[in-house]
Amino acid sequence: MSFPTHDYQGNADEVLNALCAFRIMRGEHPVFYVAERLGALQGYVTALLFWLFGASRNAMAAEPVLSGALMLGAWYLFLREALGRRLALIALPFAAFPSPAFLHWTAMPNSYPSTLFLDAASLWLAARLARGDRSRWTVTGFGLFAGLAWWASPLSLGCTLPALLWVAWRRRDLRQWRAAGRFAAGCVLGALPWLVYNVRHPLASLRQTPLLGPVSRWEGLLDNARFLATVTLRELIASVSYESHPRAVTHALQKPVLVIVGLAALASLVIFPLRRFLRRRQGAEPRTADPAASAVPLLSLTVIVVVLLNIVSAAGSDRGLPVRYLLPLYLVIPAVIAIALGVLASRSRAAAAACAATIVVFNLAGACLPGTAARHDLEADARQDDQLLDFLRSQRVGALAGSYWKVYPIGFLSRERILAIPMEEGHDHYRMADRLPASPLRWALVAQKAEDLRAWASHAGLSGAVQRVTPAAAVFLPHPNPPGCAPAAFQLRLKAAYSQAPAP
């Protein structure tokens, strides 16, 4: 999914992590890399990779590879502790080859790979504690990973809160002050950057996070619940919306996969536990130590907490990319599938194998792997960004103005030697406009359509030439260049004209 390197869907958002790494390499110590809600932990990892190998697409793509490998390792350890070795091996293919939506978000250089690694590690250590591990390092480590996950993103609550409740219910001895103190010490250590920042800027992060903001009205709650049930869950489990080139395999298998996973969840979380409960009340089933059965409360709690967070929060009202707020839920889906397939395999191995193969084939068919048409498109986009950068360098451009989605990738690719100045209000996340020098520098305006670019330049009262550099980028070079006014004043002039012209 990451190599050979290519462009990313929504690439302006994906380079924010790299721009955060540039800040760190300049000697700054950011706590967050986007506003005040996503921790900069992965930015420090990317800065280390840039220091070792140089700033490039390859080094930027290595961060999600590292986080993803660690996540898969912690994920399997959690499955083995929670389900036992046999069911963990059944669950492993659904973790190694996850759903297209989960793979899409965890293969990009943003906050999700590191957050979900920390979630998986928290679940693993919680499962060890619930199984009887009394080591002080396990208790402290559980707190440390939970704290780091909170700093990375409040999204982690979907896993860490159920894990904490499950451990407290299963292990009463861990409620003693020594064990609680070790957990709290680890948690404070992991979340220390977040805590220090929010003491200096009172609870600023809580105001910046949609997942912690309540939905406005009862109608919003009902609408969020309806959207979650009919759209977001389907997108998480069996999405076809990440394919720019629809494939017959994924469209044919989408409904079977939804049915299989839905029945597996119903059986593993409702039918099997209810049947065990009724048999025990009748004395027909002994109270044997079944790791899969004892893990069901954790799996159910995770489903409940993630679903409730999405229903009652403002994040659940996001209709653009809502599946990202459900990603922690997928960490328990392989376990749910494995429990049901384990029972099915005891009756018909062929049926269990067919169900497993259906899910894995769908997941692989929906992935943006090398050789697919979607991957070719992204590789072509990367080449076009490189062509645009080469053109701007040949013109000795020092500042590029345009849409955030067009200019911020150039800011990364040029190592910020070309200042990327987005025209949309609130999109200059790294305040490149504040770094404009007092002395004149050469400007360029960029947009996809030449006619939009001419309209923008006309509203700004500029004369100059429009050149088509790539199929996706036309560039306007003002004349004279540099303009006669100071860069900061010229930037304000461009923004005022941009708001009046058709959106480039």
Side-chain angles (χ1 to χ4, degrees):
M1 286 292 290
S2 295
F3 292 93
T5 47
H6 51 279
D7 205 351
Y8 294 96
Q9 296 175 10
N11 61 342
D13 281 350
E14 307 318 315
V15 303
L16 294 178
N17 182 34
L19 295 174
C20 178
F22 289 161
R23 288 184 59 191
I24 295 166
M25 296 173 76
R26 290 196 297 267
E28 301 179 41
H29 301 92
V31 176
F32 301 98
Y33 90 97
V34 177
E36 296 168 324
R37 57 190 178 88
L38 296 175
L41 177 62
Q42 70 281 357
Y44 289 89
V45 177
T46 303
L48 176 62
L49 292 168
F50 284 175
W51 180 73
L52 290 172
F53 306 111
S56 66
R57 280 196 182 95
N58 285 336
M60 182 174 71
E63 188 275 327
V65 172
L66 290 174
S67 295
L70 291 170
M71 176 183 66
L72 185 58
W75 202 351
Y76 174 70
L77 292 173
F78 158 63
L79 293 170
R80 193 172 65 179
E81 290 288 342
L83 305 180
R85 186 179 297 272
R86 172 178 170 269
L87 290 183
L89 290 173
I90 294 176
L92 183 58
F94 312 115
F97 310 112
S99 73
F102 187 87
L103 186 58
H104 170 85
W105 285 104
T106 55
M108 292 197 293
N110 51 31
S111 67
Y112 296 104
S114 55
T115 299
L116 289 161
F117 154 59
L118 296 169
D119 282 346
S122 299
L123 290 172
W124 165 50
L125 293 177
R128 285 190 62 85
L129 291 171
R131 293 284 170 260
D133 187 338
R134 298 177 181 274
S135 167
R136 68 181 64 181
W137 298 111
T138 305
V139 177
T140 306
F142 177 35
L144 178 65
F145 280 114
L148 285 169
W150 171 258
W151 173 31
S153 172
L155 188 71
S156 61
L157 276 179
C159 287
T160 55
L161 180 59
L164 180 60
L165 294 174
W166 184 56
V167 169
W169 173 64
R170 293 270 302 174
R171 293 285 306 278
R172 295 185 180 182
D173 59 311
L174 293 179
R175 303 178 199 173
Q176 298 173 0
W177 68 270
R178 286 187 179 179
R182 293 189 187 108
F183 172 82
C187 198
V188 168
L189 181 61
L192 190 60
W194 187 95
L195 293 170
V196 171
Y197 185 92
N198 281 274
V199 168
R200 295 182 61 185
H201 309 274
L203 300 181
S205 297
L206 301 182
R207 295 191 295 270
Q208 292 281 340
T209 306
L211 203 65
L212 301 179
V215 70
S216 56
R217 298 185 303 274
W218 283 102
E219 294 84 354
L221 286 173
L222 295 176
D223 189 52
N224 284 357
R226 177 196 60 78
F227 191 80
L228 177 73
T230 59
V231 177
T232 320
L233 281 173
R234 182 191 66 212
E235 290 292 293
L236 176 67
I237 296 167
S239 173
V240 295
S241 63
Y242 290 95
E243 300 178 28
S244 56
H245 297 270
R247 301 172 200 170
V249 173
T250 52
H251 282 269
L253 294 181
Q254 184 188 35
K255 288 183 179 178
V257 168
L258 289 171
V259 170
I260 292 169
V261 176
L263 291 176
L266 180 64
S268 301
L269 302 181
V270 180
I271 296 175
F272 297 162
L274 182 60
R275 187 177 62 183
R276 280 192 296 269
F277 173 75
L278 294 176
R279 285 184 175 179
R280 284 175 180 171
R281 290 199 62 178
Q282 296 169 0
E285 183 170 319
R287 293 182 176 272
T288 56
D290 181 0
S294 60
V296 167
L298 172 62
L299 306 181
S300 301
L301 274 173
T302 303
V303 172
I304 292 169
V305 170
V306 174
V307 166
L308 283 179
L309 282 174
N310 276 265
I311 291 176
V312 304
S313 71
S317 302
D318 185 342
R319 299 297 181 259
L321 298 168
V323 75
R324 55 189 163 155
Y325 297 115
L326 273 184
L327 292 176
L329 178 60
Y330 195 85
L331 291 176
V332 302
I333 286 180
V336 169
I337 297 172
I339 293 172
L341 290 186
V343 174
L344 180 60
S346 64
R347 292 163 172 76
S348 172
R349 290 189 177 183
C355 291
T358 300
I359 297 172
V360 171
V361 168
F362 174 87
N363 291 347
L364 285 174
C368 185
L369 297 173
T372 60
R375 186 60 163 266
H376 287 313
D377 289 347
L378 293 174
E379 290 167 351
D381 290 344
R383 289 192 295 269
Q384 290 181 26
D385 278 349
D386 291 337
Q387 292 168 15
L388 175 59
L389 177 62
D390 290 341
F391 174 79
L392 296 172
R393 283 173 171 166
S394 71
Q395 299 297 318
R396 302 187 302 280
V397 169
L400 179 66
S403 167
Y404 162 76
W405 304 102
K406 288 287 185 185
V407 302
Y408 249 53
I410 299 300
F412 160 64
L413 293 173
S414 69
R415 318 295 189 265
E416 296 183 319
R417 294 183 180 91
I418 298 175
L419 294 175
I421 314 296
M423 295 291 100
E424 300 95 334
E425 198 65 38
H427 280 67
D428 193 3
H429 299 295
Y430 284 94
R431 299 178 181 175
M432 292 198 193
D434 295 346
R435 293 159 55 190
L436 288 168
S439 56
L441 78 168
R442 291 181 64 81
W443 283 81
L445 283 61
V446 65
Q448 182 170 356
K449 297 180 180 178
E451 55 269 28
D452 292 337
L453 202 52
R454 292 190 184 95
W456 179 18
S458 174
H459 280 83
L462 301 175
S463 60
V466 174
Q467 298 188 47
R468 171 62 63 183
V469 179
T470 73
V475 174
F476 178 86
L477 297 171
H479 180 76
N481 201 357
C485 56
F490 188 68
Q491 177 248 344
L492 294 176
R493 176 179 168 186
L494 290 177
K495 288 188 76 170
Y498 187 89
S499 65
Q500 300 170 10

